[in-house]
Amino acid sequence: MNAPLTVVTGGSRGIGAAVSRRLVADGHDVVIGYRSDASAAQAVATELSRSGRTVMAVRADTTDEQAVIDLFGAAAEIGIISGVVNNAGSARAVGRLADNDIETIRADLDVNLIGVITCCKYAVAAMTESGGSIVNISSAAATLGSPGMYVHYAAAKAAVDTLTVGLSKEVAAQNIRVNAVAPGIIETDFHRDRQRPQRMASSIPIGRPGVPDEIAGAVSWLLSDDARYATGTVIRVAGGM
Ligand code: NAP
Protein backbone atom coordinates (compact mmCIF):
# COMPACT_ATOMS: atom_id res chain seq x y z
CA MET A 1 0.00 0.00 0.00
CA ASN A 2 1.21 3.54 -0.83
CA ALA A 3 2.19 5.84 2.03
CA PRO A 4 -0.33 8.60 2.79
CA LEU A 5 0.69 11.90 1.16
CA THR A 6 -0.09 15.01 3.17
CA VAL A 7 0.31 18.71 2.39
CA VAL A 8 1.04 20.91 5.43
CA THR A 9 0.73 24.65 4.83
CA GLY A 10 3.06 26.75 6.97
CA GLY A 11 5.07 23.61 7.71
CA SER A 12 8.42 25.34 8.05
CA ARG A 13 8.16 26.50 11.65
CA GLY A 14 6.19 26.16 14.88
CA ILE A 15 3.13 23.91 14.92
CA GLY A 16 3.36 23.13 11.18
CA ALA A 17 6.95 21.89 11.50
CA ALA A 18 5.97 19.72 14.51
CA VAL A 19 3.01 18.32 12.57
CA SER A 20 5.29 17.56 9.60
CA ARG A 21 7.75 15.74 11.89
CA ARG A 22 4.97 13.72 13.50
CA LEU A 23 3.40 12.80 10.17
CA VAL A 24 6.71 11.55 8.79
CA ALA A 25 7.23 9.51 11.98
CA ASP A 26 3.73 8.08 11.43
CA GLY A 27 4.58 7.05 7.86
CA HIS A 28 3.39 9.95 5.70
CA ASP A 29 5.13 11.52 2.75
CA VAL A 30 4.84 15.28 3.34
CA VAL A 31 4.82 18.42 1.21
CA ILE A 32 5.72 21.42 3.34
CA GLY A 33 4.28 24.74 2.20
CA TYR A 34 5.80 27.99 3.40
CA ARG A 35 5.45 31.69 2.66
CA SER A 36 8.89 33.29 2.83
CA ASP A 37 11.45 31.52 5.01
CA ALA A 38 12.94 29.14 2.43
CA SER A 39 15.92 28.12 4.56
CA ALA A 40 13.69 27.11 7.53
CA ALA A 41 11.43 25.09 5.20
CA GLN A 42 14.36 23.44 3.45
CA ALA A 43 16.00 22.59 6.79
CA VAL A 44 12.83 20.75 7.94
CA ALA A 45 12.52 18.98 4.57
CA THR A 46 16.18 17.90 4.59
CA GLU A 47 15.94 16.66 8.20
CA LEU A 48 12.77 14.67 7.50
CA SER A 49 14.01 13.24 4.19
CA ARG A 50 16.66 11.33 6.15
CA SER A 51 13.84 9.09 7.38
CA GLY A 52 13.53 7.68 3.87
CA ARG A 53 10.11 9.21 3.33
CA THR A 54 9.51 11.68 0.49
CA VAL A 55 9.48 15.23 1.90
CA MET A 56 9.50 18.36 -0.23
CA ALA A 57 9.32 22.09 0.57
CA VAL A 58 7.31 24.33 -1.77
CA ARG A 59 6.97 28.08 -1.51
CA ALA A 60 3.23 28.80 -1.40
CA ASP A 61 1.62 31.88 0.10
CA THR A 62 -1.89 30.63 0.88
CA THR A 63 -3.34 34.08 0.16
CA ASP A 64 -2.28 33.64 -3.48
CA GLU A 65 -4.72 31.34 -5.31
CA GLN A 66 -2.26 30.46 -8.07
CA ALA A 67 0.39 29.57 -5.47
CA VAL A 68 -2.12 27.21 -3.81
CA ILE A 69 -2.91 25.60 -7.18
CA ASP A 70 0.81 25.16 -7.81
CA LEU A 71 1.35 23.72 -4.29
CA PHE A 72 -1.24 20.99 -4.89
CA GLY A 73 0.12 20.48 -8.41
CA ALA A 74 3.63 19.91 -7.02
CA ALA A 75 2.25 17.45 -4.45
CA ALA A 76 0.26 15.59 -7.13
CA GLU A 77 3.52 14.88 -8.95
CA ILE A 78 4.61 12.79 -5.93
CA GLY A 79 1.38 10.81 -5.63
CA ILE A 80 -2.28 10.97 -4.67
CA ILE A 81 -2.89 13.62 -2.00
CA SER A 82 -4.66 11.94 0.93
CA GLY A 83 -4.28 14.65 3.59
CA VAL A 84 -4.14 18.43 3.86
CA VAL A 85 -3.33 20.35 7.04
CA ASN A 86 -4.37 23.99 6.76
CA ASN A 87 -1.97 25.36 9.32
CA ALA A 88 -0.60 28.61 7.82
CA GLY A 89 -1.67 31.54 9.94
CA SER A 90 -0.49 34.75 11.55
CA ALA A 91 -1.71 37.78 13.47
CA ARG A 92 -0.05 41.04 12.53
CA ALA A 93 -2.70 43.34 14.02
CA VAL A 94 -2.30 42.97 17.78
CA GLY A 95 -4.03 44.99 20.51
CA ARG A 96 -7.44 46.56 20.83
CA LEU A 97 -9.59 46.57 17.69
CA ALA A 98 -9.94 50.36 17.76
CA ASP A 99 -6.16 50.77 17.67
CA ASN A 100 -5.54 48.59 14.60
CA ASP A 101 -5.85 49.65 10.99
CA ILE A 102 -8.21 47.93 8.59
CA GLU A 103 -5.49 47.19 6.03
CA THR A 104 -3.56 45.02 8.50
CA ILE A 105 -6.76 43.43 9.83
CA ARG A 106 -7.79 42.59 6.25
CA ALA A 107 -4.39 40.99 5.63
CA ASP A 108 -4.88 38.84 8.76
CA LEU A 109 -8.32 37.74 7.56
CA ASP A 110 -6.80 36.94 4.19
CA VAL A 111 -4.34 34.40 5.60
CA ASN A 112 -6.42 33.05 8.50
CA LEU A 113 -9.72 32.70 6.64
CA ILE A 114 -9.56 33.22 2.85
CA GLY A 115 -6.30 31.25 2.67
CA VAL A 116 -7.90 28.32 4.51
CA ILE A 117 -11.00 28.48 2.30
CA THR A 118 -8.79 28.56 -0.82
CA CYS A 119 -6.78 25.55 0.36
CA CYS A 120 -9.98 23.66 1.25
CA LYS A 121 -11.36 24.31 -2.24
CA TYR A 122 -8.30 22.85 -3.96
CA ALA A 123 -7.90 20.08 -1.37
CA VAL A 124 -11.44 18.87 -2.12
CA ALA A 125 -10.70 19.02 -5.85
CA ALA A 126 -7.55 16.92 -5.32
CA MET A 127 -9.45 14.38 -3.18
CA THR A 128 -12.59 14.03 -5.27
CA GLU A 129 -11.72 10.64 -6.74
CA SER A 130 -9.82 8.96 -3.91
CA GLY A 131 -11.21 10.63 -0.80
CA GLY A 132 -9.05 12.08 1.93
CA SER A 133 -8.85 14.03 5.15
CA ILE A 134 -8.51 17.77 5.78
CA VAL A 135 -7.46 19.20 9.14
CA ASN A 136 -7.83 22.93 9.72
CA ILE A 137 -5.78 24.51 12.48
CA SER A 138 -8.20 26.72 14.36
CA SER A 139 -7.60 28.25 17.79
CA ALA A 140 -9.10 28.31 21.27
CA ALA A 141 -9.43 32.02 20.46
CA ALA A 142 -12.46 31.09 18.31
CA THR A 143 -14.54 30.61 21.46
CA LEU A 144 -12.62 32.86 23.89
CA GLY A 145 -12.73 35.92 21.60
CA SER A 146 -9.24 37.23 22.54
CA PRO A 147 -10.30 40.69 23.79
CA GLY A 148 -7.50 43.24 23.81
CA MET A 149 -5.33 40.95 21.66
CA TYR A 150 -6.91 40.23 18.29
CA VAL A 151 -10.67 39.88 18.18
CA HIS A 152 -10.60 39.90 14.37
CA TYR A 153 -8.25 36.88 14.39
CA ALA A 154 -10.53 35.08 16.85
CA ALA A 155 -13.47 35.82 14.52
CA ALA A 156 -11.55 34.38 11.57
CA LYS A 157 -10.83 31.20 13.55
CA ALA A 158 -14.51 30.91 14.53
CA ALA A 159 -15.29 31.12 10.83
CA VAL A 160 -12.78 28.31 10.22
CA ASP A 161 -14.70 26.18 12.74
CA THR A 162 -17.95 26.86 10.88
CA LEU A 163 -16.26 26.14 7.55
CA THR A 164 -15.10 22.82 9.02
CA VAL A 165 -18.64 21.84 10.04
CA GLY A 166 -20.29 22.90 6.79
CA LEU A 167 -17.69 21.52 4.42
CA SER A 168 -17.57 18.22 6.31
CA LYS A 169 -21.26 17.72 5.53
CA GLU A 170 -20.84 18.90 1.94
CA VAL A 171 -18.13 16.37 1.08
CA ALA A 172 -18.82 13.43 3.41
CA ALA A 173 -20.40 11.42 0.58
CA GLN A 174 -17.17 11.87 -1.41
CA ASN A 175 -15.28 10.07 1.37
CA ILE A 176 -13.56 13.32 2.40
CA ARG A 177 -13.40 14.11 6.12
CA VAL A 178 -12.94 17.67 7.39
CA ASN A 179 -11.98 18.36 10.99
CA ALA A 180 -10.12 20.98 13.00
CA VAL A 181 -7.70 21.18 15.90
CA ALA A 182 -7.95 24.23 18.15
CA PRO A 183 -4.71 24.86 20.03
CA GLY A 184 -4.49 27.07 23.10
CA ILE A 185 -1.41 29.20 23.78
CA ILE A 186 1.54 27.44 22.18
CA GLU A 187 5.16 28.56 22.38
CA THR A 188 6.09 29.54 18.81
CA ASP A 189 7.22 32.60 16.85
CA PHE A 190 3.52 33.35 16.30
CA HIS A 191 3.74 35.47 19.45
CA ARG A 192 5.72 38.57 18.54
CA ASP A 193 6.10 39.09 22.29
CA ARG A 194 7.92 35.81 23.02
CA GLN A 195 7.32 36.23 26.77
CA ARG A 196 3.53 36.26 26.33
CA PRO A 197 2.93 32.48 26.51
CA GLN A 198 4.76 32.20 29.86
CA ARG A 199 3.06 35.35 31.17
CA MET A 200 -0.32 33.75 30.39
CA ALA A 201 0.52 30.57 32.33
CA SER A 202 -1.62 31.48 35.35
CA SER A 203 -4.71 31.79 33.13
CA ILE A 204 -4.24 28.28 31.72
CA PRO A 205 -5.81 25.53 33.89
CA ILE A 206 -2.92 23.14 33.20
CA GLY A 207 -0.62 25.95 34.37
CA ARG A 208 1.67 26.37 31.38
CA PRO A 209 1.60 27.12 27.66
CA GLY A 210 1.80 24.17 25.28
CA VAL A 211 4.55 23.22 22.87
CA PRO A 212 4.04 22.39 19.17
CA ASP A 213 4.55 18.62 19.65
CA GLU A 214 1.48 18.59 21.89
CA ILE A 215 -0.69 19.63 18.92
CA ALA A 216 0.82 17.27 16.37
CA GLY A 217 -0.64 14.03 17.74
CA ALA A 218 -4.24 15.23 17.44
CA VAL A 219 -3.63 16.23 13.82
CA SER A 220 -2.04 12.89 12.99
CA TRP A 221 -4.93 11.03 14.64
CA LEU A 222 -7.52 12.97 12.61
CA LEU A 223 -5.65 12.07 9.42
CA SER A 224 -5.45 8.40 10.39
CA ASP A 225 -7.81 5.53 9.73
CA ASP A 226 -8.55 5.41 13.48
CA ALA A 227 -10.51 8.64 12.91
CA ARG A 228 -12.46 7.29 9.93
CA TYR A 229 -15.82 8.00 11.66
CA ALA A 230 -14.81 11.52 12.79
CA THR A 231 -15.81 14.45 10.62
CA GLY A 232 -16.99 17.98 11.30
CA THR A 233 -15.39 18.02 14.73
CA VAL A 234 -13.08 20.53 16.41
CA ILE A 235 -10.63 18.98 18.85
CA ARG A 236 -9.55 21.49 21.47
CA VAL A 237 -5.97 21.02 22.69
CA ALA A 238 -5.65 24.03 24.94
CA GLY A 239 -4.56 23.04 28.44
CA GLY A 240 -8.12 23.50 29.69
CA MET A 241 -8.67 27.01 28.29
P1 NAP B 1 4.46 30.35 13.47
O1 NAP B 1 5.45 29.68 14.34
O2 NAP B 1 4.51 31.84 13.29
O3 NAP B 1 4.53 29.66 12.02
C1 NAP B 1 3.69 30.09 11.02
C2 NAP B 1 3.92 29.29 9.78
O4 NAP B 1 2.93 29.68 8.82
C3 NAP B 1 5.26 29.50 9.13
O5 NAP B 1 5.67 28.30 8.51
C4 NAP B 1 4.97 30.56 8.06
O6 NAP B 1 5.84 30.51 6.94
C5 NAP B 1 3.58 30.15 7.65
N1 NAP B 1 2.79 31.21 7.05
C6 NAP B 1 2.38 32.38 7.59
N2 NAP B 1 1.64 33.07 6.72
C7 NAP B 1 1.57 32.31 5.60
C8 NAP B 1 0.97 32.45 4.34
N3 NAP B 1 0.27 33.55 4.01
N4 NAP B 1 1.12 31.47 3.43
C9 NAP B 1 1.80 30.35 3.73
N5 NAP B 1 2.42 30.15 4.89
C10 NAP B 1 2.30 31.13 5.82
O7 NAP B 1 2.96 30.06 13.94
P2 NAP B 1 2.33 28.82 14.73
O8 NAP B 1 2.15 29.21 16.13
O9 NAP B 1 3.04 27.57 14.40
O10 NAP B 1 0.88 28.83 14.08
C11 NAP B 1 0.40 27.79 13.23
C12 NAP B 1 -1.10 27.82 13.25
O11 NAP B 1 -1.56 27.59 14.58
C13 NAP B 1 -1.73 29.14 12.80
O12 NAP B 1 -2.88 28.87 12.04
C14 NAP B 1 -2.11 29.80 14.11
O13 NAP B 1 -3.19 30.69 13.94
C15 NAP B 1 -2.50 28.59 14.93
N6 NAP B 1 -2.48 28.78 16.37
C16 NAP B 1 -1.34 29.15 17.01
C17 NAP B 1 -1.37 29.30 18.39
C18 NAP B 1 -0.15 29.69 19.19
O14 NAP B 1 -0.30 30.06 20.38
N7 NAP B 1 1.06 29.63 18.63
C19 NAP B 1 -2.56 29.12 19.08
C20 NAP B 1 -3.69 28.75 18.40
C21 NAP B 1 -3.65 28.58 17.04
P3 NAP B 1 7.10 31.55 6.79
O15 NAP B 1 7.99 31.32 7.98
O16 NAP B 1 7.73 31.18 5.50
O17 NAP B 1 6.50 32.92 6.82
Side-chain angles (χ1 to χ4, degrees):
M1 207 170 81
N2 287 338
L5 170 60
T6 299
V7 176
V8 180
T9 69
S12 57
R13 293 188 286 114
I15 292 169
V19 166
S20 299
R21 286 192 180 92
R22 176 61 185 259
L23 293 180
V24 166
D26 290 346
H28 293 238
D29 293 332
V30 172
V31 175
I32 294 169
Y34 67 97
R35 176 182 49 184
S36 52
D37 191 344
S39 58
Q42 199 47 59
V44 177
T46 302
E47 171 204 327
L48 296 183
S49 295
R50 289 192 200 108
S51 67
R53 297 250 64 93
T54 301
V55 182
M56 181 171 74
V58 177
R59 184 189 292 268
D61 185 331
T62 55
T63 66
D64 176 347
E65 183 180 7
Q66 188 57 51
V68 172
I69 294 168
D70 293 346
L71 171 66
F72 286 110
E77 285 181 20
I78 297 176
I80 295 170
I81 298 167
S82 57
V84 172
V85 182
N86 288 317
N87 165 78
S90 67
R92 284 173 52 212
V94 177
R96 294 173 66 84
L97 179 64
D99 298 332
N100 278 302
D101 63 82
I102 289 298
E103 194 186 337
T104 315
I105 287 170
R106 199 186 297 277
D108 283 347
L109 297 186
D110 209 13
V111 56
N112 293 299
L113 179 55
I114 305 295
V116 175
I117 291 172
T118 306
C119 290
C120 280
K121 172 182 161 78
Y122 289 103
V124 166
M127 293 172 176
T128 292
E129 285 187 11
S130 305
S133 174
I134 299 169
V135 178
N136 297 323
I137 303 301
S138 174
S139 172
T143 55
L144 297 173
S146 300
M149 275 304 293
Y150 28 53
V151 294
H152 68 291
Y153 164 84
K157 291 296 192 180
V160 166
D161 289 356
T162 304
L163 170 77
T164 300
V165 171
L167 187 61
S168 72
K169 294 174 180 170
E170 194 169 296
V171 298
Q174 292 167 259
N175 198 26
I176 302 171
R177 295 184 297 107
V178 188
N179 293 288
V181 172
I185 298 171
I186 308 299
E187 290 190 281
T188 70
D189 297 340
F190 177 89
H191 305 278
R192 270 187 284 164
D193 173 0
R194 290 304 304 264
Q195 306 309 315
R196 179 176 176 260
Q198 286 298 339
R199 265 205 320 275
M200 298 288 289
S202 62
S203 66
I204 304 168
I206 278 186
R208 62 168 177 84
V211 295
D213 282 350
E214 291 172 318
I215 305 304
V219 176
S220 186
W221 180 75
L222 283 169
L223 291 173
S224 78
D225 194 50
D226 279 348
R228 60 189 172 273
Y229 200 59
T231 198
T233 195
V234 179
I235 299 183
R236 197 177 183 88
V237 186
M241 286 184 86

